[in-house]
Amino acid sequence: MLGCGAIGSLYAAHLSRAPGIEVWAVDPWPEHMAAIRESGLRVTGLADFVAPVHAITDAADLPLCDLGIVATKALHTAAAVAAAVHSLKDAGVVSVQNGVGNEEIIAEHVPRVMRGTIVTAGAVTAPGVVRYDAPGDSWIGPFEPSPARPDEIELLADLLNQGGLTTHAVADARGPQWTKVVFNAATSPLSALTGLTVGQVCTDPGLRTEVDRLIDEALTVCATAGITLTRDPRASVEEAIREAYAHKPSMLQDVLARRATEIGVLNGGIAAEGRRTGVATPAHDAMVALVNGLERSWPGG
């Protein structure tokens, strides 16, 4: 497990519940890793258990792995995978990160890659503790230019299911991936810019107009690119209002902590695909400009 933030921690904890599996997690946060080593990885919220996970801060200490999961922020993908390439050189490696474009970076370092999408939400609330906020399925499938083997994809899906995270092995994972990207790109930047939760953004009349505008633009990009979504993004919006009204998306969490956001692989990723397919994306371009401008306004930005 490369990256042990909220999603990485939830994946590591649940994988450790599959029989006969040894889970290693690498993250530069020393207090988090130390707490996991000393007391295990504690899951709260929708679940309540403590998971045994090997927690380290230096990827050089990783053993040879059969499977790898990349859960870092997109900005850190290349450095994380390069540092762990000795342990992943014969592994099937999946990205469960936000946005699009991470698989291409992973494939520069390892030969067999999977697309992964997870809609589960949570937050690390203290070193060694992750809160499980919202349930959701996961989908994994081959990254077409450098695909993992079918048996690796099936194995990882089976292990995650055994660990308690409902996971689907699919032949084409672009649909699930872009379904999440479209929803996140329509809600996260507005949350980050206003400080409002997902539910507040989606129920404010003026902001909901912008959410719908971003969805419409992204759907045109997907249709032109031949990507079939697994559900209507507006259904995801309504579900978020019902089930995750108070959730602060990771982009808002980044803004509150004055960290660089993943706007470039969310709205920026949609805009890039729009340019590739000849679809104008002014609403997504505006979100990229506004969030980048906010980041530059911070001290040292």
Side-chain angles (χ1 to χ4, degrees):
M1 179 70 59
L2 304 183
C4 207
I7 295 303
S9 294
L10 287 171
Y11 258 68
H14 283 85
L15 269 176
S16 72
R17 306 180 87 183
I21 298 301
E22 187 175 88
V23 178
W24 288 73
V26 185
D27 193 280
W29 184 8
E31 293 83 5
H32 190 37
M33 296 293 96
I36 295 172
R37 283 196 303 273
E38 293 167 7
S39 304
L41 177 52
R42 176 87 186 200
V43 179
T44 65
L46 295 181
D48 187 4
F49 65 93
V50 177
V53 174
H54 298 278
I56 57 178
T57 56
D58 189 346
D61 296 327
L62 276 174
L64 194 64
C65 295
D66 296 314
L67 296 166
I69 300 176
V70 183
T72 66
K73 293 289 187 181
L75 296 171
H76 308 308
T77 302
V81 178
V85 72
H86 66 284
S87 70
L88 303 176
K89 60 185 178 182
D90 195 31
V93 180
V94 64
S95 164
V96 294
Q97 300 159 279
N98 286 330
V100 291
N102 293 295
E103 294 85 2
E104 286 82 352
I105 296 172
I106 294 170
E108 294 175 3
H109 301 278
V110 298
R112 300 194 307 281
V113 182
M114 309 174 216
R115 293 185 187 272
T117 300
I118 180 171
V119 296
T120 300
V124 175
T125 57
V129 182
V130 59
R131 188 183 65 233
Y132 188 5
D133 286 338
D137 291 9
S138 299
W139 294 263
I140 55 175
F143 173 59
E144 303 79 13
S146 302
R149 299 193 309 262
D151 63 291
E152 292 172 319
I153 296 169
E154 292 285 348
L155 174 59
L156 181 55
D158 183 56
L159 292 173
L160 287 166
N161 280 311
Q162 290 183 55
L165 291 178
T166 301
T167 304
H168 310 277
V170 296
D172 186 348
R174 293 179 304 159
Q177 182 183 48
W178 275 80
T179 299
K180 179 181 178 181
V181 167
V182 172
F183 169 76
N184 282 348
T187 57
S188 293
L190 293 169
S191 181
L193 290 165
T194 62
L196 299 176
T197 68
V198 168
Q200 290 171 322
V201 164
C202 294
T203 55
D204 178 278
L207 293 174
R208 181 59 182 266
T209 298
E210 298 308 314
V211 169
D212 291 339
R213 192 194 318 275
L214 289 162
I215 289 174
D216 287 341
E217 229 177 58
L219 289 178
T220 302
V221 171
C222 289
T224 307
I227 299 169
T228 302
L229 303 187
T230 57
R231 72 181 304 192
D232 184 342
R234 290 182 180 81
S236 298
V237 169
E238 296 305 321
E239 181 179 75
I241 293 170
R242 293 192 308 271
E243 299 186 12
Y245 187 92
H247 178 63
K248 295 180 179 180
S250 60
M251 191 178 296
L252 173 55
Q253 294 177 41
D254 287 339
V255 166
L256 293 173
R258 298 295 190 265
R259 294 187 299 256
T261 71
E262 294 181 304
I263 191 71
V265 295
L266 285 172
N267 302 79
I270 291 172
E273 188 66 11
R275 289 191 293 273
R276 189 187 73 81
T277 56
V279 177
T281 57
H284 288 277
D285 292 335
M287 291 299 104
V288 173
L290 287 167
V291 174
N292 282 341
L294 177 61
E295 292 176 12
R296 287 196 299 274
S297 74
W298 301 332

